[in-house]
Amino acid sequence: MTAIPKKLLFAISDTGGGHRSAATAISGAVKLRSDATCTITDFLRATKFPGLSKAPEIYDFCSKRHVWLSNLLFKKTNSISRINTLTKMVYLQSCQHIEHELANTQPDAVIAVHPLVTGLMHIARERMEAKWPIITVVTDLVTLHASWAIPGADLYLAPTAEAANSLIRYGVPINRIVHTGFPIHPKFLQSKLTKKQARKELGIETDRFTVLLTGGGVGAGSMGEWVSALQSQCADKQILVITGNNKDLYNELIDRKPGGHLHVYRFVDNMEVMMTASDIIVTKAGPGTIMEGVAMNRPLIVTEAVGIQETGNIDYVRQNHLGYYCPVPGLACKTINEVAAKVPEDNIFNSHEDIITNGSVRIAETILQQISLENQRNWNYGNVLWGAS
């Protein structure tokens, strides 16, 4: 058998904060189990391909003001054949840049944590006559774009049974799919802070019902409107607003001279503390925040799907009794006041044992186990069916 790999390359793109967060979560879990070096690279930016190299900026633009454009691109490219064609076209123009990144890293395995990089990595492996395995980690919960299922990966790790079934419908062989759960950073499960301790750490009131409002890494959605509604209709509640990388939103809220019960934050790296300090989480239907909230045992209010890929997440929250769907601020405020009226001192919802919350641990273990097999290109999948636990 081969030795445990020393270099893992996480191929992502910073289209939103979710892909890098997932890669960081997995690498954190890997480091708890091995001395492997983990490198995270934005391969869409590295292509230097016109348009594609600006994917993070385009995503931010669409998420904040033009979701219709994101949805149009989703629909027009949502087929395996189209993605294959586009991938080959990009690689033809960008092969020098892609292969340069891979040659510099010399990975023992490539972990694709973005739907548009698996195909690029597959072509690169063939052209470079490399032996490293490609493992795709899906980060959408229910509604998957066809690019997640593009052929080329040796293994596809699915966060939910719904995602696994979507991969199967797209044609991924069932024996290449593992249901691992979503890659939540280990710190969410390791946190020992109580609610009161978390609030003291943040320097906020310790005994007031607290609402956490977030729009993901890009601060998507009409958050200014939501803050106004919360301040007027939930006036006795403490409100924590995370604006992410949305500088305009942050400045807009700061101009309101927050204080008292309103606290405004930029992009944060202590989300586990923020969630521990909260009683309820108000968020768009982003998979990362949803699954982190589940891991922290906090109820969710989902406001909207920013893009087609998030639409299935709303039903996922409702069907699994993880929280509420409130598309308008008034309904959300009514729900918050009702929840606050009956909330016990500690956690609101019971734990959800049927949802995997240690996904990063399971993913790390799967990666390390699979890439240590003797024949990396001819794996034995007999014991890793997607439904296996």
Side-chain angles (χ1 to χ4, degrees), residues 2 9 108 120 137 150 179 186 236 238 243-244 261 264 296 315:
T2 59
L9 174 60
D108 293 300
L120 296 174
V137 178
I150 191 170
H179 178 197
D236 60 332
Q238 184 164 232
T243 62
H261 305 332
V264 182
M296 301 300 289
D315 287 337

Side-chain angles (χ1 to χ4, degrees), residues 49 81-94 119-120 123 150:
F49 189 86
S81 61
R82 290 178 186 174
I83 288 298
N84 268 327
T85 299
L86 291 171
T87 299
K88 291 174 183 177
M89 181 176 68
V90 169
Y91 199 93
L92 183 65
Q93 299 296 321
S94 307
L120 296 174
I123 299 174
I150 191 170

Side-chain angles (χ1 to χ4, degrees), residues 187-255:
K187 65 184 180 180
F188 285 88
L189 302 176
Q190 296 168 348
S191 177
K192 303 299 181 184
L193 290 177
T194 65
K195 188 183 295 182
K196 185 165 288 190
Q197 288 170 337
R199 291 176 181 176
K200 285 182 178 179
E201 184 171 314
L202 294 173
I204 61 177
E205 294 178 82
T206 59
D207 297 320
R208 188 175 295 276
F209 187 93
T210 301
V211 180
L212 175 62
L213 174 64
T214 175
V218 298
S222 305
M223 291 183 65
E225 177 186 350
W226 281 80
V227 172
S228 296
L230 288 167
Q231 284 186 291
S232 63
Q233 299 178 45
C234 300
D236 60 332
K237 309 297 188 295
Q238 184 164 232
I239 307 167
L240 313 180
V241 184
I242 300 176
T243 62
N245 293 318
N246 191 333
K247 295 179 181 178
D248 291 340
L249 174 62
Y250 178 81
N251 292 333
E252 173 192 337
L253 296 179
I254 288 298
D255 285 345

Side-chain angles (χ1 to χ4, degrees), residues 58-227:
I58 293 171
Y59 178 86
D60 286 4
F61 175 80
C62 293
S63 297
K64 292 172 185 176
R65 298 182 180 87
H66 301 281
V67 178
W68 67 269
L69 180 56
S70 175
N71 289 341
L72 179 64
L73 291 172
F74 186 107
K75 293 175 181 178
K76 293 298 184 181
T77 61
N78 192 26
S79 79
I80 298 293
S81 61
R82 290 178 186 174
I83 288 298
N84 268 327
T85 299
L86 291 171
T87 299
K88 291 174 183 177
M89 181 176 68
V90 169
Y91 199 93
L92 183 65
Q93 299 296 321
S94 307
C95 57
Q96 182 179 354
H97 304 299
I98 294 170
E99 291 170 17
H100 176 74
E101 290 286 342
L102 290 165
N104 280 346
T105 306
Q106 290 291 311
D108 293 300
V110 173
I111 320 302
V113 196
H114 191 281
L116 298 180
V117 300
T118 297
L120 296 174
M121 296 300 99
H122 175 56
I123 299 174
R125 181 171 65 182
E126 290 190 338
R127 280 177 51 101
M128 299 173 75
E129 298 183 347
K131 300 297 183 182
W132 30 261
I134 301 170
I135 302 171
T136 293
V137 178
V138 178
T139 57
D140 285 318
L141 303 181
V142 179
T143 309
L144 269 57
H145 189 273
S147 52
W148 279 120
I150 191 170
D154 300 286
L155 207 60
Y156 297 79
L157 309 188
T160 62
E162 290 87 345
N165 286 326
S166 290
L167 290 172
I168 293 169
R169 287 194 293 271
Y170 277 124
V172 177
I174 190 171
N175 61 350
R176 292 200 175 199
I177 303 172
V178 185
H179 178 197
T180 57
F182 189 87
I184 300 165
H185 199 285
K187 65 184 180 180
F188 285 88
L189 302 176
Q190 296 168 348
S191 177
K192 303 299 181 184
L193 290 177
T194 65
K195 188 183 295 182
K196 185 165 288 190
Q197 288 170 337
R199 291 176 181 176
K200 285 182 178 179
E201 184 171 314
L202 294 173
I204 61 177
E205 294 178 82
T206 59
D207 297 320
R208 188 175 295 276
F209 187 93
T210 301
V211 180
L212 175 62
L213 174 64
T214 175
V218 298
S222 305
M223 291 183 65
E225 177 186 350
W226 281 80
V227 172

